[in-house]
């Protein structure tokens, strides 16, 4: 069952989303060659705590940290580590969740570390474009398939791979609620309900679609070791159009 959010729940989600955006604002400042992903995790944890929220990921299914930090061929769920040091030319996807008074905001962004190649920049631009194309389709009483199709079309036009094992999701009192959102067409007949909240999160690859999980049980990487990008916003389908929760207020 897809649930609708009350006005009060949307207000709280907007607050949770603002905290997620504060973390990303700081990530954009501190990400540079030489910093470790564990330092980034600590910075994120402190911002979430300072804002009286709970790091949603910490302890989720046993996950050990507050952010996922996925470098280059890592798609999602990279675990922060003191020995994982960013270097010039890397890309790093930071995914973070904050729970504020019981409501979750979930958002991810891929950052360049210094100068990156034009091909990788194009992957970042394309993935961000796919996210916003999907967001535009978050209209009540229309098909969720339109969101999937918009993402797929941007990926195909730009000849990048689409990660198929992972996708977006309903979000609210739980990080993962119904419905699942595919990043490609599936002929789904699910309808976007008014005031439902969905985390839209295209994961696109410079190479092939295929991915697998490393022996740590978390880190997802591309089979061909080509770079992967991930952009995510939590979005409410309001009657006035899509509302992004995970932006600065
Ligand atoms: N935030 C991820 C998602 O977008 C899930 C992270 S899993 C966790 O769905 F274990 F790291 F929390
Ligand atoms: Co998510």
């Amino acid at each position: 069952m897809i649930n609708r959010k009350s006005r009060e729940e949307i207000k709280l989600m907007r607050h949770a989303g603002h905290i997620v955006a504060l973390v990303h604002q700081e990530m954009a400042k501190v990400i540079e060659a030489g910093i470790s992903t564990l330092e980034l995790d600590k910075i994120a944890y402190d911002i979430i705590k300072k804002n009286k929220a709970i790091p949603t990921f910490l302890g989720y299914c046993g996950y050990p940290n507050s952010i996922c930090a996925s470098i280059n061929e890592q798609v999602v769920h990279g675990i922060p580590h003191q020995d994982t040091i960013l270097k010039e030319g890397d890309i790093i996807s930071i995914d973070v969740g904050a729970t504020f008074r019981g409501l979750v905001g979930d958002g991810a962004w891929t950052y360049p570390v210094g100068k990156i190649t034009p091909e990788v920049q194009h992957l970042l631009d394309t993935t961000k474009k796919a996210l916003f194309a999907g967001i535009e389709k978050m209209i009540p009483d229309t098909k969720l398939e339109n969101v999937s199709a918009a993402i797929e079309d941007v990926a195909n036009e730009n000849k990048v791979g689409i990660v198929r094992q992972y996708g977006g999701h309903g979000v609210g009192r739980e990080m993962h609620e119904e419905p699942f959102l595919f990043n490609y067409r599936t002929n789904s007949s699910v309808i976007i309900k008014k005031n439902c909240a969905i985390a839209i999160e295209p994961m696109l690859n410079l190479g092939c679609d295929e991915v697998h999980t490393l022996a740590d049980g978390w880190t997802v990487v591309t089979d061909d070791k080509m770079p992967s990008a991930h952009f995510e916003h939590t979005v409410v389908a309001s009657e006035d159009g899509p509302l992004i929760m995970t932006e600065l207020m």
Side-chain angles (χ1 to χ4, degrees):
M1 228 1 225
I2 304 176
N3 60 53
R4 297 179 171 180
K5 270 66 189 177
S6 67
R7 194 197 297 249
E8 178 63 13
E9 285 174 321
I10 292 171
K11 243 171 79 183
L12 294 173
M13 275 189 103
R14 186 72 190 82
H15 201 100
H18 171 70
I19 298 166
V20 166
L22 286 175
V23 172
H24 280 295
Q25 185 183 39
E26 192 59 24
M27 293 293 120
K29 287 184 196 156
V30 299
I31 285 175
E32 59 172 0
I35 196 165
S36 76
T37 54
L38 194 64
E39 287 173 271
L40 297 176
D41 180 71
K42 172 84 168 73
I43 291 166
Y45 176 89
D46 288 344
I47 292 171
I48 294 167
K49 284 292 187 182
K50 207 177 91 189
N51 285 279
K52 303 185 178 0
I54 296 166
T56 315
F57 296 4
L58 188 60
Y60 178 85
C61 298
Y63 188 74
N65 293 86
S66 302
I67 63 169
C68 298
S70 311
I71 298 174
N72 299 335
E73 77 281 4
Q74 298 177 352
V75 180
V76 287
H77 305 165
I79 299 175
H81 197 281
Q82 61 182 9
D83 298 332
T84 303
I85 309 289
L86 299 187
K87 55 181 200 312
E88 176 83 14
D90 284 345
I91 55 171
I92 178 163
S93 303
I94 303 289
D95 192 350
V96 60
T99 306
F100 182 76
R101 291 206 238 149
L103 274 296
V104 175
D106 185 10
W109 207 259
T110 301
Y111 301 89
V113 182
K115 199 168 155 51
I116 59 174
T117 66
E119 291 75 24
V120 176
Q121 184 62 54
H122 183 67
L123 173 69
L124 267 48
D125 295 343
T126 298
T127 312
K128 197 191 299 180
K129 192 172 167 193
L131 167 61
F132 284 94
I135 290 172
E136 271 186 33
K137 301 294 182 186
M138 276 289 283
I139 309 293
D141 305 318
T142 65
K143 286 186 173 182
L144 187 61
E145 179 82 344
N146 296 340
V147 179
S148 303
I151 292 169
E152 180 181 0
D153 286 347
V154 172
N156 290 345
E157 280 157 24
N158 290 281
K159 299 186 171 51
V160 299
I162 301 174
V163 175
R164 290 170 194 269
Q165 284 101 315
Y166 299 87
H169 50 91
V171 53
R173 294 200 174 269
E174 303 291 335
M175 173 161 59
H176 293 142
E177 300 183 350
E178 283 184 55
F180 186 78
L181 169 62
F182 292 90
N183 288 323
Y184 56 94
R185 288 177 178 80
T186 61
N187 233 331
S188 156
S189 56
V190 171
I191 298 294
I192 299 169
K193 283 189 186 171
K194 187 173 114 183
N195 292 340
C196 77
I198 296 182
I200 303 178
E201 49 179 321
M203 287 149 266
L204 304 180
N205 302 338
L206 208 48
C208 70
D209 295 354
E210 284 72 29
V211 302
H212 63 277
T213 304
L214 296 183
D216 64 15
W218 283 105
T219 316
V220 178
V221 297
T222 54
D223 281 9
D224 60 10
K225 300 194 165 59
M226 295 279 275
S228 183
H230 180 205
F231 288 81
E232 173 182 34
H233 271 309
T234 296
V235 182
V236 168
S238 87
E239 58 188 346
D240 301 325
L243 297 178
I244 299 175
M245 299 288 107
T246 33
E247 283 181 334
L248 294 174
M249 285 199 285

